[in-house]
Amino acid sequence: MASTRDRLLAEGMRLFGEQGYASTSVAQIEAAAGLSPGSGSMYKHFRSKKELLAEGMERLLSGGRTPVAQLGSRDPAALAAQLTAAARAGLRRMDEDRDLSRLLFRGLDAFPDLLARFGDGEIGRFHRAITAMLTELAGDGGETVDWAAIAVVLQGATAHYWLLADLFDRHPTGVDEDRFVAAAASLVVALLAGPPSAGPVPAEAARQIHEPTEGTR
């Protein structure tokens, strides 16, 4: 059975994601966790709602691995399958992030320190991993391509797909997850087969490409 602290964390983060931080009261969190609402029981475990939010975020950021597949083959068929698995893993990671992903649009901006922590610890971390993956796959032939920018496009498309599917319970276009991840993988395979000529890579992009990342050090 989950501890009282864990129940408070789980229910508090769920309510923050569903209702927004400001609209969620301590009494609601206590009631959802099976405690007497309004009793102040939450304060035996957390000094404030913000402390609960901060710990919930840290638990998320300290868990899970970057959803980048171990890409051991450059054969297009095998590569497509591996990239499909990586895209699907990215969607599953957003499932883990569901409460925080929702909260990004429901009040997390009120806490710039936590917003910055999420931006670097989650969005930035995954972006660096995707950039490193694409750069490695491209090899010497892709040195003039801004893979950091392409990683943003892929990451943004995945996040946008997940957010709309979460909001509507299914993606409003009717394109299901299997089709989405297959299309994303096909686009990457096509880019790697004949990367576009994008001119010199900007200095900042080059720094991101060569910067060591978690999982590649």
Side-chain angles (χ1 to χ4, degrees), residues 1-216:
M1 183 178 295
S3 69
T4 301
R5 184 181 181 85
D6 286 340
R7 293 201 310 274
L8 285 165
L9 269 174
E11 295 301 330
M13 295 300 290
R14 178 183 64 80
L15 289 169
F16 293 157
E18 291 178 355
Q19 302 178 170
Y21 179 87
S23 298
T24 299
S25 68
V26 170
Q28 287 176 319
I29 296 173
E30 289 170 339
L35 304 174
S36 298
S39 65
S41 300
M42 190 195 83
Y43 295 111
K44 296 178 182 177
H45 304 274
F46 301 96
R47 288 174 293 182
S48 64
K49 285 199 304 178
K50 182 181 178 181
E51 183 174 87
L52 186 152
L53 171 61
E55 180 162 335
M57 179 182 292
E58 287 303 322
R59 284 199 178 191
L60 173 72
L61 298 183
S62 63
R65 305 175 109 185
T66 52
V68 175
Q70 296 298 316
L71 303 170
S73 172
R74 294 179 188 272
D75 174 70
L79 182 59
Q82 292 170 321
L83 288 167
T84 297
R88 200 181 299 280
L91 292 171
R92 296 293 76 76
R93 176 61 178 175
M94 290 201 70
D95 286 341
E96 295 178 38
D97 285 358
R98 174 173 275 110
D99 297 328
L100 272 175
S101 296
R102 290 172 171 176
L103 187 56
L104 281 174
F105 304 98
R106 294 190 178 106
L108 192 59
D109 57 332
F111 305 103
D113 54 332
L114 297 181
L115 188 65
R117 177 78 178 91
F118 186 80
D120 182 66
E122 187 74 358
I123 298 172
R125 176 166 65 106
F126 285 94
H127 173 258
R128 291 189 290 271
I130 295 167
T131 301
M133 177 189 75
L134 294 174
T135 303
E136 180 181 353
L137 288 172
D140 295 338
E143 289 182 347
T144 62
V145 178
D146 189 348
W147 294 112
I150 290 174
V152 168
V153 173
L154 295 172
Q155 193 174 15
T158 301
H160 190 265
Y161 180 89
W162 183 92
L163 286 167
L164 287 183
D166 181 64
L167 180 63
F168 290 94
D169 291 326
R170 61 188 295 272
H171 202 277
T173 62
V175 173
D176 63 20
E177 181 178 304
D178 289 342
R179 291 172 62 193
F180 172 77
V181 296
S186 296
L187 287 172
V188 175
V189 170
L191 278 172
L192 292 169
S197 176
V201 178
E204 176 63 16
R207 183 189 67 76
Q208 291 181 6
I209 288 172
H210 296 293
E211 183 179 75
T213 64
E214 182 178 332
T216 63

